[in-house]
Amino acid sequence: MATQLKKSIISAFKMHGLTLRSEASSYLQDVLEPVDSSEREQWLDKIIDIVQKQSLSSAMVGKEVCEAAVQECNAEQEDDKESIFNVIDAFSIPRFKYSKERKKFIPESTLLKTPKLHGEASDKGEMFRDRYTVLHQRTLRHSLFTPPSLGSVNTDSNKFQLKPVEYLVGSTTKVGNVIVLGMLVQLKEGKWFLEDPTGCVQLDLSNAEFQPGLFTENSFVLAEGHYEDGVFYVDAFGLPPPEKADTTRSYFGNINFFGGPSAIQVKSSNRLAQIESENTDAMFVLLSDVWLDNGRVMDKLNILFKGYSEFPPTAFIFCGNYLSSPKVLSQAKILTDCFRDLGNMLSQYQNIIDSSKLIFVPGPNDPGHSTILPRPTIPNSITEAFRKKVPSAIFSSNPCRIQYCTQEIIIFREDIVTKLCRNCVRFPKDGNIPMHFAKSIISQAHLCPLPLHVSPVYWAYDSSLRLYPLPDVIVTADKFDPFSTTAVATTVINPGSFLRTDFGFKVYYPASKQVQDSQVTDEIDRTLISSDTMNTTEIPFSQAVDSNISLSDSMEIQ
């Protein structure tokens, strides 16, 4: 048995062009022999991967190199123990650029380009080009746009071909039944254009049929119609087709888009999956507009903490604004005093301080450097006294990302629902705003598909707002009415304003992936009143099933 193990170790290294010295193979044999046979191959692959990353003078691998690789593997295993709960700042998220030639994402660190907070003019163009290329490569992979394989007979009449804008502009005759992916822009007042990296074309939307979603300026759309005399007459407007996170990862391997521990390592961890499923009591309490200068809000928070003191949740997630109105001159001093009062309140509930994470995400009107996204944390000078009393508190950026076991959660505090509704080209007739909103941000693969004059973004850090691959949960804390909906295996939650919803909030259970409506009442013996857990249903991407179906029908998300 030992001889067979040694042979497999030597063979595995040879497959990667490496040769083990005899003492090195004996050492690895001793290391891997106690490991369960089902896990040996995985451990051996990790060791080889680490060895390949080292600076080797030759293909001959000695014992010292193997010892260093095993120690690094053990260190990674220890890090994995800490990967149950991680909060990831927006400014530390890995940044990738899609290469059309290589058909893969390349880390921007390899491009020798250091991001600047206040970028150059070229960064603005790169921002929109990156948004386009992410959606373009994703759309081309969808079954409706995938060309038939080489040598096969194309019998599927439901296939569509994507054309660039230059295909229209370069035509001298009428072009009918064309589908174009581009960005909706208003280059002239009252006139809409469709733009992509190859050019722009004027649109006629008078007869356009809008599919579900909120279409705003600077959002990317699939437009179907015909081109004549310099104008593209749109018959149907739809959003780019979404893609499940598992499908995305199957194409791009172990790239860590999310940040923190490797997404593939976390997603494939049986230990973390077991912890997640067994810990049915784990919960995230979500509150927005927690006005610490309001007496009623502080009283309700005290009741909330008292109600959870015996069974503390995994995390309290508080979203700003933390003051009821921006007080420009004395804002910082008032908020410092408010956090000090909150710390004094929490000091009465030591069980919560010891067992729960308290995460604070700044709102648009909270003190900070600017209102440009992503927004940095609240200055330490304001929160210093609070953090001394509550060491478990985490002040993060807006947006921020949370990795809990195998789940990826994004927290975003912005009145994004309200802004999208206010700036959409045509308001939906059915009034089901939560459904339209969820479809929009998921299809756009972006938290804020709005014009920069409506919601400014740091150009070089636009990737921190990207939803690609799709996370498990998106929390968009908005003053809009509370809601919870699911689309493409992603749950979208809006807890609503804490005071304006009569002290309502949301509770998310990771084990069951369910969302619960809750409310703080005045009753001492029943502090938390919760409704039945919401039964959210996945919104799949429908397929073209009829030979005469048009894109306007097939690209609709049911």
Side-chain angles (χ1 to χ4, degrees):
M1 186 68 182
T3 306
Q4 184 63 34
L5 174 59
K6 190 172 184 177
K7 286 182 178 179
S8 63
I9 293 172
I10 295 173
S11 176
F13 272 81
K14 282 186 177 180
M15 289 288 291
H16 291 81
L18 301 172
T19 303
L20 280 175
R21 295 184 184 275
S22 58
E23 67 272 13
S25 59
S26 299
Y27 168 74
L28 290 178
Q29 177 186 334
D30 295 338
V31 169
L32 295 175
E33 201 164 10
V35 178
D36 188 84
S37 58
S38 61
E39 297 180 1
R40 282 176 186 167
E41 186 177 350
Q42 183 180 358
W43 273 95
L44 188 56
D45 289 341
K46 285 183 179 180
I47 293 171
I48 293 173
D49 184 54
I50 293 171
V51 168
Q52 288 180 316
K53 291 178 181 178
Q54 297 183 21
S55 299
L56 300 176
S57 57
S58 68
M60 190 69 70
V61 179
K63 182 180 177 181
E64 298 79 8
V65 175
C66 293
E67 286 177 341
V70 171
Q71 289 177 3
E72 189 170 338
C73 276
N74 289 330
E76 288 182 1
Q77 189 71 7
E78 291 298 321
D79 291 340
D80 187 48
K81 295 178 181 178
E82 303 298 326
S83 64
I84 293 177
F85 191 97
N86 294 279
V87 179
I88 304 157
D89 189 271
F91 295 93
S92 62
I93 294 171
R95 300 163 64 241
F96 295 89
K97 183 178 291 291
Y98 183 76
S99 171
K100 291 183 178 180
E101 294 77 18
R102 301 170 65 179
K103 294 187 177 180
K104 62 183 293 186
F105 281 91
I106 302 172
E108 288 200 7
S109 58
T110 63
L111 302 178
L112 303 177
K113 183 179 180 181
T114 304
K116 297 179 181 178
L117 194 62
H118 300 287
E120 303 172 354
S122 59
D123 292 329
K124 182 179 180 181
E126 285 294 321
M127 175 184 71
F128 288 115
R129 272 191 291 271
D130 288 343
R131 289 191 195 181
Y132 173 83
T133 53
V134 168
L135 296 178
H136 186 259
Q137 59 87 23
R138 190 187 73 182
T139 303
L140 289 177
R141 279 202 308 272
H142 193 269
S143 57
L144 292 175
F145 299 96
T146 305
S149 58
L150 187 64
S152 64
V153 179
N154 184 17
T155 58
D156 190 353
S157 59
N158 299 324
K159 296 289 186 181
F160 302 97
Q161 190 174 3
L162 217 55
K163 296 291 185 180
V165 169
E166 67 177 355
Y167 174 80
L168 303 178
V169 178
S171 302
T172 57
T173 58
K174 179 180 177 181
V175 180
N177 197 24
V178 182
I179 302 163
V180 182
L181 172 67
M183 184 172 69
L184 194 60
V185 293
Q186 196 170 15
L187 301 180
K188 298 179 181 179
E189 186 176 357
K191 293 184 179 181
W192 292 102
F193 292 78
L194 195 66
E195 184 178 9
D196 73 1
T198 66
C200 64
V201 62
Q202 185 176 336
L203 300 177
D204 186 324
L205 304 178
S206 56
N207 297 317
E209 178 184 348
F210 284 75
Q211 301 303 319
L214 300 173
F215 300 86
T216 65
E217 185 178 356
N218 286 170
S219 64
F220 289 88
V221 298
L222 280 175
E224 179 187 24
H226 65 277
Y227 178 77
E228 186 177 5
D229 296 333
V231 178
F232 187 37
Y233 295 87
V234 180
D235 298 325
F237 246 19
L239 294 168
E243 183 178 77
K244 288 186 177 181
D246 292 341
T247 305
T248 302
R249 293 193 179 96
S250 68
Y251 281 100
F252 300 111
N254 59 351
I255 295 179
N256 181 12
F257 291 97
F258 195 76
S262 171
I264 298 298
Q265 176 187 341
V266 168
K267 286 289 183 181
S268 61
S269 173
N270 294 328
R271 185 185 67 85
L272 291 177
Q274 184 179 359
I275 293 173
E276 180 183 308
S277 60
E278 291 179 352
N279 192 8
T280 55
D281 294 330
M283 66 181 80
F284 291 80
V285 178
L286 310 170
L287 301 91
S288 180
D289 275 350
V290 184
W291 295 340
L292 302 179
D293 61 339
N294 186 291
R296 294 180 63 200
V297 170
M298 294 296 285
D299 291 341
K300 296 297 182 179
L301 286 178
N302 193 29
I303 296 174
L304 179 75
F305 295 141
K306 184 176 181 180
Y308 279 117
S309 59
E310 294 185 8
F311 303 98
T314 305
F316 287 95
I317 300 175
F318 301 97
C319 298
N321 302 308
Y322 297 110
L323 296 179
S324 55
S325 60
K327 304 171 177 64
V328 179
L329 296 179
S330 56
Q331 186 181 25
K333 183 180 184 305
I334 293 174
L335 192 54
T336 302
D337 295 338
C338 289
F339 272 116
R340 184 180 292 109
D341 293 341
L342 182 63
N344 294 332
M345 179 191 298
L346 278 166
S347 62
Q348 306 173 39
Y349 308 102
Q350 191 62 39
N351 198 20
I352 290 179
I353 295 177
D354 295 337
S355 305
S356 300
K357 300 286 186 181
L358 291 96
I359 302 169
F360 294 86
V361 180
N365 296 330
D366 288 323
H369 302 291
S370 68
T371 58
I372 306 175
L373 296 171
R375 186 182 171 90
T377 62
I378 295 176
N380 291 336
S381 58
I382 295 177
T383 62
E384 182 178 6
F386 176 80
R387 285 184 282 110
K388 288 180 179 178
K389 295 181 178 179
V390 188
S392 60
I394 300 173
F395 287 85
S396 188
S397 61
N398 180 25
C400 72
R401 300 183 176 190
I402 298 173
Q403 174 259 317
Y404 171 76
C405 290
T406 66
Q407 296 196 31
E408 297 174 347
I409 303 169
I410 292 181
I411 312 295
F412 184 41
R413 173 57 185 102
E414 181 63 76
D415 294 328
I416 186 64
V417 183
T418 308
K419 288 183 177 180
L420 282 174
C421 291
R422 188 180 298 153
N423 291 276
C424 62
V425 178
R426 188 170 299 177
F427 197 77
K429 296 179 181 179
D430 60 7
N432 188 356
I433 300 303
M435 180 268 291
H436 290 284
F437 169 73
K439 289 179 179 179
S440 298
I441 61 171
I442 286 174
S443 296
Q444 297 291 326
H446 200 274
L447 282 171
C448 192
L450 282 166
L452 294 180
H453 67 271
V454 175
S455 186
V457 174
Y458 287 115
W459 301 335
Y461 288 91
D462 182 70
S463 58
S464 65
L465 303 175
R466 193 177 293 168
L467 302 175
Y468 192 79
L470 287 174
D472 297 280
V473 180
I474 303 172
V475 179
T476 55
D478 191 285
K479 61 186 178 184
F480 190 80
D481 294 339
F483 64 81
S484 176
T485 185
T486 302
V488 200
T490 298
T491 302
V492 182
I493 305 170
N494 177 35
S497 178
F498 186 54
L499 179 62
R500 291 170 179 167
T501 57
D502 200 17
F503 308 104
F505 58 96
K506 298 281 188 182
V507 179
Y508 175 69
Y509 294 88
S512 60
K513 296 187 177 181
Q514 297 295 317
V515 184
Q516 195 175 69
D517 288 318
S518 299
Q519 185 179 15
V520 182
T521 69
D522 292 321
E523 301 176 33
I524 301 299
D525 58 339
R526 195 182 177 200
T527 56
L528 304 178
I529 306 298
S530 301
S531 66
D532 293 335
T533 304
M534 297 184 62
N535 293 318
T536 56
T537 56
E538 183 182 339
I539 307 173
F541 186 86
S542 63
Q543 301 295 319
V545 294
D546 185 79
S547 59
N548 295 322
I549 199 166
S550 67
L551 178 68
S552 60
D553 299 316
S554 61
M555 67 184 177
E556 181 176 348
I557 305 174
Q558 298 296 330

